[in-house]
């Protein structure tokens, strides 16, 4: 298995001068258009689009190769429903590939692929077939690729196909192009041309060579990319099956150890490789394939930072897990909890090639175990809701909107809903479900577009077409070093003016000048002091002036090194090549910088308190990793991996450490250092999934300058400080943060927690608010009775929404709960007094009825509509005769009727009340010995009293 990977990589690195570029995580944290990495090319998308940051090492690539972790279980490329049904589909797979970025193109790619297949892996050339794009009414046939294929294969084995097979697109939008596919006939000695792309296991696709020459726009239009690229991908699992002499990917040493573990843990009979209902009785072998495949998907996805949840990729993972668990339990007889026990087998099998799964093994097991447990609860709730919905189903079709509700609100997989519909003889309205899903997706996309366009509806982004146009005009990328200089305007030259993609005749969106009539617009300069949104920090705002002309900067984004200042012209005009003055709103930036610096300090304090200094920067021991952050002028938000709630005591220690750093007024140092050198610093832990430039900017909250730290980077002393890679803007000293308050700590997904905090003015406001509230709680301690009850109720409601320290909020909640005990004692005394008074008032009427030999007594006494009070009164007076008490509550405009009868009286209270209120209305119920009724409005009470007395 490992030899196959290495032979492929060595071929491209050693013989064809490619750079080995490691697999990206299968969770594309920096690409919102993808649920998962579904192809090897995903991480290279910035290179294809021309938006790669020139400071990154990736921007220098011309040729690359690797084996990429891929998941196809959601979105455009989705193999989930096919897994298990055959012996070659997978949701997780490895894609071995090679890439060219503006270097070699079709001929070079095809020649290398042929050489690799026939010389490195020694595949029989007589069993190989190739397909190419045969064209359609919009795009011509790829005759160039056909010509190069005919160098190696006869015409009978070079076959044209349409766009569904030979035009590759990563998603609804983005880089794309025609492709060549190599197919292999497992049987041989025959003409298998008719079996190519027939979805049969005997003739399978093994390698796809994509010629990326277009970009698919949101409108569906294809535009030429400024440079031509190569993206190839060969299925590792399929190649392994061929080289190991098996007809099935699942018969290889990639899967058989997992099957053995499944057999042991479930007690099922061994895997036999059968397919289809006729041969695979009870779908046992299908279940083996589903469980093994889904185990790989979940282990790698969770290790790479995804968590099962109810939306996006999290929902896909939840669906994958529940599908695996359902097949394991229903078809293999597994017990609940079996799935998580299989993780160590996979780690042992693939941990050497992908050490990240070994490092995160315990975390993955815990997440899967929790999901398995919650599945049984969710299944029960979902089934109950489903059955309720079935009752209202009409025409034999289960409503797609209902399926969407089960999906979004109950976490219920739609394929499970479809299966249950079939069992009930119903058809699921899948079109309705998908329409509802599309509606939500479009709303999300519209929100993102509105953000980028400032609500104008324009596409205010730079992609390959725009960056290529800038390069062709000789426009250099923006020098943004001045963003680290404070309180200083910058004089700069306008290098480009932009009014939106597709807004000009040439579609680039670039114009010679902009005015207020341009609406939403953007300016690019040769240098800037504005910070572009990145790394979790919000963009700067401010103004640009050119003489008397004013441009308001509302948003700043960076594309391929070009900093785009987005906003509107307030007055005058701005022309390319004109000189302008850039003025940042530093008052707004101040709290942003404060929040950013204190995010670093919080990260340090969290790790120090939660995992201990000895585990900071270590891959051993407990782990606490940053999972995301947001820094703006109002707050800081920090997401991190942790399996349980952070306790109030722990939060208090964390907050105290942050405050201590502020009080010590520690110097904040920044320094650009070689990435390899900086990575050696003992305290440093890079953010998972982030790409860092080389050299990298290091930010430390430490009195020792960073060059001194780099002289002895591995010393343990650096674990006493916050040291991180960061390109954001920061304070000069921690004392400038002034104050720090943790507002909340909450779970946002399984294994992921979030802390929200504030600094400076907002922190002081929170502290003052907490102090003021504490004084009110103290004052309430002097109150008693109804006054105390009303005040505590009001205080509790206010406390829920107050933006104060969550530690203070916990203390104040405890104090209010203490006052609640005092209120309860008063309420008990009040109730006793009320009952005693009512019983005394009713006693004369009851005694008179008893003396007259009656079995019933009707009494009117107003004490409200509290049933508990009524029962205590009745218990005191209804000892010898049946008693019915009427009580009006003027405040609510209702009245109640309560009746109780001792056995000796023999009165059916339920019937007595029913007869009394016949034709009156209201609601109630009870039993013969005890019943009650309540009526809205007071007009009928006297008549009801009279009627009850007459029955």
């Amino acid at each position: 298995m490992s030899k196959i990977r290495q032979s492929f990589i060595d071929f491209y690195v050693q013989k064809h001068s490619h750079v080995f570029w490691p697999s990206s995580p299968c969770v594309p944290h920096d690409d919102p258009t993808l649920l998962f990495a579904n192809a090897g090319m995903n991480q290279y998308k910035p290179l294809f689009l021309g938006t790669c940051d020139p400071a990154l090492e990736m921007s220098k690539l011309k040729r690359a190769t690797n084996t990429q972790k891929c998941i196809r279980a959601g979105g455009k490329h989705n193999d989930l429903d096919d897994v298990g049904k055959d012996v070659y589909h997978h949701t997780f797979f490895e894609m071995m590939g090679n890439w060219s970025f503006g270097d070699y193109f079709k001929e070079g790619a095809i020649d290398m692929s042929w050489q690799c297949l026939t010389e490195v892996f020694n595949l029989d050339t007589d069993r190989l077939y190739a397909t190419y794009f045969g064209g359609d009414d919009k795009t011509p046939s790829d005759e160039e690729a056909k010509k190069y294929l005919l160098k190696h294969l006869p015409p009978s084995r070079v076959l044209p196909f349409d766009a569904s097979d030979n035009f590759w697109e990563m998603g609804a939008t983005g880089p794309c192009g025609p492709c060549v596919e190599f197919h292999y006939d497992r049987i041989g000695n025959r003409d298998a041309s008719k079996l190519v792309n027939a979805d049969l296991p005997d003739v399978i696709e093994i390698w796809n060579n994509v010629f990326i020459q277009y970009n698919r726009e949101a409108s569906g239009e294809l535009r030429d990319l400024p440079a031509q690229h190569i993206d190839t991908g060969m299925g590792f699992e399929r190649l392994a099956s061929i080289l190991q002499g098996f007809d099935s990917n699942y018969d290889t040493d990639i899967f058989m150890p997992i099957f053995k573990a499944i057999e042991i843990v479930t007690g099922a009979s061994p895997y036999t490789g059968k397919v289809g209902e006729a041969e695979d009785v009870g779908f046992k072998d299908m279940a083996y394939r589903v469980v093994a495949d889904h185990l790989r998907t979940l282990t790698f996805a969770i290790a790479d930072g995804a968590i099962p949840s109810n939306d996006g990729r999290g929902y896909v993972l939840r669906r994958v897990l529940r599908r695996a668990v359902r097949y394991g339990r229903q078809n293999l007889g597994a017990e609940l909890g079996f799935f998580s026990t299989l993780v160590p087998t996979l780690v042992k099998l693939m941990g050497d090639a992908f050490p990240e799964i070994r490092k995160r093994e315990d975390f993955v097991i815990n997440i899967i175990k929790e999901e398995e447990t919650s599945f049984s609860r969710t299944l029960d709730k979902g089934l109950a809701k489903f059955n309720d919905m079935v009752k209202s189903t009409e025409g034999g079709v289960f409503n797609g909107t209902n399926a969407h509700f089960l999906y979004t609100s109950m976490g219920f997989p739609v394929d499970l809903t479809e299966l249950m519909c079939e069992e009930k003889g119903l058809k699921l309205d899948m079109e309705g479900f998908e329409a509802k899903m599309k509606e939500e997706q479009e709303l999300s996309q519209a929100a993102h577009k509105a953000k980028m366009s400032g609500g104008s509806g324009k596409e205010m982004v730079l992609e390959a077409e725009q960056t290529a146009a800038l390069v062709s005009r000789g426009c250099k990328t923006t020098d943004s070093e001045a963003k680290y200089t404070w309180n200083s305007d910058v004089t700069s030259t306008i290098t480009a003016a932009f009014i939106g993609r597709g807004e000009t005749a040439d579609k680039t969106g670039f114009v010679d000048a902009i005015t207020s009539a341009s609406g939403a617009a953007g300016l690019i300069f040769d240098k800037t002091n504005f910070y572009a949104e990145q790394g979790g920090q919000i963009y700067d705002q401010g103004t640009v002036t050119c003489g008397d002309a004013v441009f308001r900067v509302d948003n700043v984004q960076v594309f391929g090194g070009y900093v785009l200042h987005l906003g509107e012209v307030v007055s005058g005009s701005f022309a390319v090549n004109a000189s302008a003055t850039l003025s940042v709103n530093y008052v707004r930036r101040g709290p942003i910088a404060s929040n950013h610096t204190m995010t670093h300090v919080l990260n340090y304090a969290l790790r120090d308190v939660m995992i201990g200094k000895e585990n900071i920067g270590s891959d051993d021991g407990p782990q606490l990793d940053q999972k995301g952050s947001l820094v703006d002028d109002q707050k800081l938000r920090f997401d991190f991996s942790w399996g349980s709630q952070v306790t109030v005591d722990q939060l208090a220690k964390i907050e105290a450490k942050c405050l201590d750093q502020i009080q010590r007024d520690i110097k904040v140092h920044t320094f650009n250092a070689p990435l390899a050198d900086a990575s050696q610093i003992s305290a440093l832990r890079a953010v998972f999934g982030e790409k860092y430039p080389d050299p990298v900017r290091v930010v430390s909250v430490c009195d020792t300058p960073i060059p001194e730290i780099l002289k002895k980077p591995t010393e343990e002393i650096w674990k006493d400080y916050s040291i991180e890679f960061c390109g954001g803007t920061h304070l000069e000293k921690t004392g400038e943060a002034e104050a720090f308050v943790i507002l909340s700590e909450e779970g946002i997904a399984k294994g992921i927690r979030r802390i929200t905090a504030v600094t400076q003015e907002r922190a002081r406001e929170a502290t003052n608010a907490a102090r003021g509230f504490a004084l009110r709680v103290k004052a309430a301690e002097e109150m008693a009775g109804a006054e105390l009850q009303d005040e505590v109720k009001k205080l509790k409601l206010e406390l829920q929404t107050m933006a104060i320290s969550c530690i203070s909020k916990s203390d104040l909640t405890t104090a209010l709960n203490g006052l609640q005990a005092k209120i309860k004692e008063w309420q008990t005394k009040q109730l006793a007094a009320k009952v005693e008074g009512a019983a005394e008032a009713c006693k004369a009427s009851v005694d008179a009825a008893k003396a007259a030999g009656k079995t019933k007594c009707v009494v009117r006494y107003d004490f409200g509509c509290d049933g508990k009070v009524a029962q205590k009164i009745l218990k005191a007076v209804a000892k010898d005769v049946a008693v019915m008490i009427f009580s009006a509550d003027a405040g609510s405009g209702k009245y109640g009727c309560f009746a109780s009868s001792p056995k000796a009286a023999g009165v059916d209270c339920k019937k007595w009340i029913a007869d009394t209120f016949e034709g009156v209305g209201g609601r109630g119920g009870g039993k013969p010995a005890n019943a009650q009724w309540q009526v809205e409005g007071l007009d009928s009470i006297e008549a009801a009293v009279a009627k009850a007395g007459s029955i």
Side-chain angles (χ1 to χ4, degrees):
M1 181 166 64
S2 59
K3 185 178 179 182
I4 296 172
R5 292 190 192 98
Q6 200 57 51
S7 296
F8 179 86
I9 291 167
D10 287 347
F11 171 76
Y12 279 98
V13 170
Q14 296 174 10
K15 290 193 175 183
H16 294 287
S17 304
H18 287 60
V19 174
F20 173 72
W21 195 264
S23 168
S24 67
C26 53
V27 179
H29 298 282
D30 56 353
D31 189 345
T33 68
L34 289 174
L35 289 174
F36 300 101
N38 57 24
M41 63 83 69
N42 293 157
Q43 68 170 318
Y44 305 112
K45 187 176 174 182
L47 288 173
F48 299 139
L49 288 174
T51 59
C52 186
D53 184 343
L56 294 177
E57 189 65 25
M58 177 183 280
S59 68
K60 302 175 180 64
L61 285 178
K62 290 296 181 183
R63 301 183 177 198
T65 187
N66 72 15
T67 177
Q68 170 68 43
K69 301 174 292 185
C70 297
I71 291 176
R72 290 186 181 175
K76 181 178 175 65
H77 296 281
N78 182 2
D79 291 337
L80 179 58
D81 293 332
D82 293 321
V83 169
K85 296 175 182 177
D86 56 37
V87 293
Y88 51 89
H89 273 102
H90 310 284
T91 54
F92 173 87
F93 60 95
E94 290 181 57
M95 185 73 84
M96 300 190 300
N98 59 287
W99 294 269
S100 166
F101 310 106
D103 192 359
Y104 61 85
F105 200 47
K106 294 181 183 180
E107 184 174 18
I110 290 170
D111 288 349
M112 289 180 206
S113 294
W114 184 260
Q115 185 182 4
C116 184
L117 289 171
T118 60
E119 296 179 19
V120 176
F121 295 120
N122 296 312
L123 295 190
D124 184 350
T125 58
D126 291 335
R127 296 189 182 196
L128 288 170
Y129 294 77
T131 65
Y132 67 95
F133 179 54
D136 55 28
D137 56 351
K138 295 180 180 179
T139 312
S141 171
D142 192 354
E143 294 299 312
E144 183 185 6
K146 176 183 177 181
K147 179 180 71 173
Y148 299 136
L149 288 170
L150 290 172
K151 289 170 52 180
H152 308 289
L153 288 164
S156 61
R157 285 191 275 136
V158 178
L159 312 170
F161 280 86
D162 62 18
S164 63
D165 289 304
N166 281 83
F167 196 95
W168 197 91
E169 299 189 62
M170 183 176 58
T173 61
C176 58
C179 63
V180 159
E181 293 179 347
F182 288 96
H183 296 250
Y184 184 80
D185 178 13
R186 293 183 187 273
I187 295 175
N189 296 318
R190 61 176 180 169
D191 178 6
S193 58
K194 300 292 185 184
L195 304 179
V196 172
N197 282 332
D199 202 26
L200 295 172
D202 293 341
V203 181
I204 60 170
E205 174 205 338
I206 54 173
W207 203 343
N208 191 359
N209 280 217
V210 180
F211 311 125
I212 298 180
Q213 57 193 93
Y214 305 114
N215 190 66
R216 175 75 69 183
E217 302 296 312
S219 64
E221 179 186 358
L222 288 177
R223 294 190 189 176
D224 288 332
L225 286 171
Q228 296 175 325
H229 310 293
I230 290 294
D231 160 36
T232 87
M234 178 156 54
F236 170 69
E237 292 79 6
R238 292 188 180 186
L239 181 63
S241 70
I242 293 170
L243 296 179
Q244 292 178 19
F246 294 112
D247 291 338
S248 162
N249 297 354
Y250 288 94
D251 289 338
T252 66
D253 58 3
I254 299 171
F255 286 94
M256 291 308 292
I258 304 175
F259 288 161
K260 187 62 181 177
I262 294 171
E263 178 188 338
I264 292 170
V265 77
T266 64
S269 57
Y271 176 73
T272 54
K274 294 178 180 177
V275 175
E277 187 175 0
E279 291 187 10
D280 186 16
V281 179
F283 297 108
K284 180 205 69 177
D285 287 344
M286 178 179 177
Y288 264 102
R289 291 188 287 269
V290 167
V291 171
D293 172 86
H294 292 5
L295 173 71
R296 284 158 43 102
T297 295
L298 286 156
T299 298
F300 277 92
I302 294 171
D304 278 351
I307 300 291
S309 64
N310 272 353
D311 58 14
R313 65 173 63 100
Y315 172 72
V316 174
L317 291 185
R318 180 161 283 167
R319 181 183 172 195
V320 168
L321 187 144
R322 292 179 176 183
R323 188 171 188 260
V325 170
R326 180 159 53 87
Y327 272 101
R329 295 186 67 185
Q330 291 182 2
N331 301 84
L332 298 175
E335 296 292 329
L336 181 65
F338 84 98
F339 197 48
S340 61
T341 66
L342 298 172
V343 174
T345 299
L346 179 63
V347 170
K348 183 178 180 181
L349 191 64
M350 301 186 73
D352 289 340
F354 301 101
E356 61 271 21
I357 64 172
R358 178 171 288 126
K359 175 185 169 186
R360 304 281 285 170
E361 180 177 356
D362 290 342
F363 180 74
V364 172
I365 290 172
N366 289 334
I367 293 296
I368 291 178
K369 190 181 293 182
E370 288 179 23
E371 275 292 309
E372 282 187 90
T373 302
S374 68
F375 178 45
S376 60
R377 295 194 297 267
T378 303
L379 188 59
D380 291 340
K381 291 178 183 178
L383 284 170
K385 188 67 178 175
F386 171 78
N387 288 328
D388 286 343
M389 291 172 168
V390 166
K391 293 174 185 176
S392 61
T393 296
E394 297 178 356
V397 177
F398 189 79
N399 190 289
T401 302
N402 285 342
H404 182 264
F405 173 84
L406 291 173
Y407 156 56
T408 55
S409 301
M410 312 289 293
F412 217 56
V414 70
D415 57 336
L416 186 54
T417 301
E418 187 173 31
L419 180 63
M420 292 190 304
C421 286
E422 291 173 2
E423 292 171 352
K424 296 276 188 183
L426 301 172
K427 183 180 179 181
L428 174 62
D429 174 22
M430 189 60 78
E431 286 186 8
F433 173 79
E434 290 174 349
K436 193 71 176 173
M437 293 294 293
K438 185 178 180 181
E439 179 185 329
E440 285 195 349
Q441 184 182 25
E442 287 173 349
L443 286 172
S444 175
Q445 291 173 342
H448 176 71
K449 187 174 180 180
K451 174 189 172 184
M452 297 305 297
S453 68
S456 67
K458 295 180 178 181
E459 286 191 71
M460 302 300 292
V461 294
L462 307 182
E463 292 194 353
E465 191 175 19
Q466 285 69 42
T467 55
L470 291 170
V471 171
S472 68
R473 297 179 185 191
C475 182
K476 295 182 179 179
T477 55
T478 310
D479 177 358
S480 63
E481 276 301 304
K483 64 178 178 280
Y484 298 124
T485 302
W486 286 67
N487 300 316
S488 177
D489 292 345
V490 165
T491 299
S492 185
T493 301
I494 301 173
T495 57
F498 183 64
I499 59 171
R501 296 182 70 231
E503 298 293 324
T504 57
D506 65 358
K507 305 298 185 182
T508 65
F510 292 113
V511 292
D512 293 331
I514 56 173
T515 67
S516 57
S518 304
L523 292 172
I524 298 173
F525 303 91
D526 64 339
K527 58 185 176 181
T528 184
N529 52 348
F530 279 78
Y531 183 87
E533 182 174 19
Q534 55 192 319
Q537 180 178 322
I538 198 168
Y539 44 78
D540 277 338
Q541 292 181 338
T543 57
V544 176
T545 56
C546 185
D548 294 331
V550 178
F551 179 83
R552 186 187 68 246
V553 180
D554 300 323
N555 191 338
V556 186
Q557 301 290 325
V558 61
F559 303 94
Y562 294 101
V563 177
L564 181 63
H565 304 69
L566 297 162
E568 291 188 1
V569 176
V570 177
S571 62
S573 65
F574 290 81
V576 174
N577 294 324
S579 179
T581 301
L582 282 64
S583 304
V584 172
N585 181 348
Y586 289 108
V587 173
R588 177 178 175 274
R589 187 197 276 185
I592 296 173
S594 175
N595 290 336
H596 201 155
T597 298
M598 292 310 296
T599 299
H600 285 217
V601 173
L602 171 63
N603 189 7
Y604 153 74
L606 254 173
R607 291 190 287 162
D608 190 44
V609 171
M610 303 302 292
I611 66 175
K613 193 177 302 179
E614 66 277 7
N615 291 306
I616 292 178
S618 171
D619 288 338
D620 301 321
Q623 301 293 313
L624 188 151
D625 294 322
Q626 180 175 341
K627 289 297 180 182
S629 66
L630 173 68
V631 175
D632 60 26
D633 55 336
Q634 297 295 309
K635 65 185 179 302
L636 64 93
R637 197 178 74 196
F638 187 79
D639 299 341
F640 57 98
S641 60
W642 195 251
S644 60
Q645 183 177 5
V646 181
T647 67
V648 174
D649 286 345
Q650 289 169 329
L651 288 170
K653 290 177 183 176
I654 292 163
E655 189 175 86
K657 282 186 176 292
C658 292
L659 287 168
D660 177 65
Q661 297 263 307
I662 292 173
Q663 290 163 4
R664 287 164 56 193
D665 198 21
I666 303 169
K667 174 72 175 174
V668 179
H669 288 280
T670 62
F671 184 75
N672 289 336
L675 181 59
D677 295 345
S679 298
Q680 299 300 312
I681 299 174
S682 62
L684 197 140
R685 193 170 190 85
V687 178
F688 185 80
E690 282 283 343
K691 298 181 179 73
Y692 296 102
D694 190 5
V696 65
R697 187 168 182 259
V698 183
V699 176
S700 72
V701 182
C702 174
D703 287 324
T704 304
I706 295 170
E708 293 301 310
I709 294 174
L710 290 170
K711 289 179 181 177
K712 38 189 177 180
T714 60
E715 290 200 357
E716 291 292 298
I717 190 173
W718 310 130
K719 293 183 179 182
D720 289 330
Y721 305 97
S722 164
I723 305 175
E724 298 187 27
F725 294 156
C726 181
T729 57
H730 287 273
L731 303 174
E732 287 286 327
K733 287 188 168 186
T734 56
E736 296 168 27
E738 300 170 10
F740 180 84
V741 168
I742 297 176
L743 296 181
S744 64
E745 189 277 340
E746 59 188 331
I748 58 170
K750 276 189 171 59
I752 306 295
R753 310 295 300 179
R754 170 174 290 169
I755 284 179
T756 302
V758 289
T759 67
Q760 293 186 337
E761 183 61 29
R762 290 205 68 203
R764 289 196 299 273
E765 289 173 357
T767 301
N768 291 336
R771 287 172 181 163
F773 195 88
L775 291 175
R776 291 173 61 191
V777 173
K778 187 72 175 175
E781 292 174 0
E782 304 302 318
M783 300 177 186
E787 182 187 20
L788 176 61
Q789 179 177 259
D790 292 344
E791 181 66 6
V792 169
K793 182 179 180 180
K794 184 166 65 174
L795 289 171
K796 280 189 169 182
L797 285 173
E798 285 186 34
L799 186 59
Q800 290 176 8
T801 57
M802 287 187 72
I804 63 172
S805 165
C806 59
I807 299 124
S808 298
K809 187 173 285 190
S810 176
D811 292 341
L812 291 167
T813 300
T814 300
L816 288 174
N817 288 340
L819 291 176
Q820 196 65 48
K822 186 177 176 181
I823 293 169
K824 189 173 182 181
E825 182 182 352
W826 170 77
Q827 289 173 335
T828 302
K829 290 179 180 178
Q830 287 294 105
L831 178 59
K834 183 181 287 188
V835 170
E836 184 179 352
E840 189 62 33
C842 296
K843 190 173 184 299
S845 297
V846 173
D847 287 347
K850 180 182 177 183
K854 295 180 180 180
T855 58
K856 298 176 181 177
C857 176
V858 178
V859 181
R860 166 74 187 274
Y861 183 85
D862 295 339
F863 56 83
C865 293
D866 190 330
K868 291 181 179 179
V869 175
Q871 293 308 314
K872 288 183 178 292
I873 296 170
L874 289 170
K875 186 176 181 181
V877 298
K879 296 179 178 179
D880 300 304
V881 297
V883 178
M884 181 180 285
I885 302 174
F886 284 82
S887 173
D889 185 351
S892 65
K894 303 175 184 178
Y895 72 89
C897 175
F898 308 92
S900 181
S901 174
K903 285 184 179 181
V907 176
D908 186 339
C909 294
K910 185 176 182 180
K911 185 176 185 304
W912 190 14
I913 276 189
D915 292 342
T916 298
F917 290 98
E918 184 179 1
V920 177
R923 58 190 174 83
K927 299 178 180 179
N930 202 298
Q932 57 280 326
W933 201 262
Q934 193 174 100
V935 177
E936 295 280 349
L938 303 175
D939 294 344
S940 61
I941 188 169
E942 295 300 336
V945 171
K947 187 175 181 181
S950 68
I951 296 172

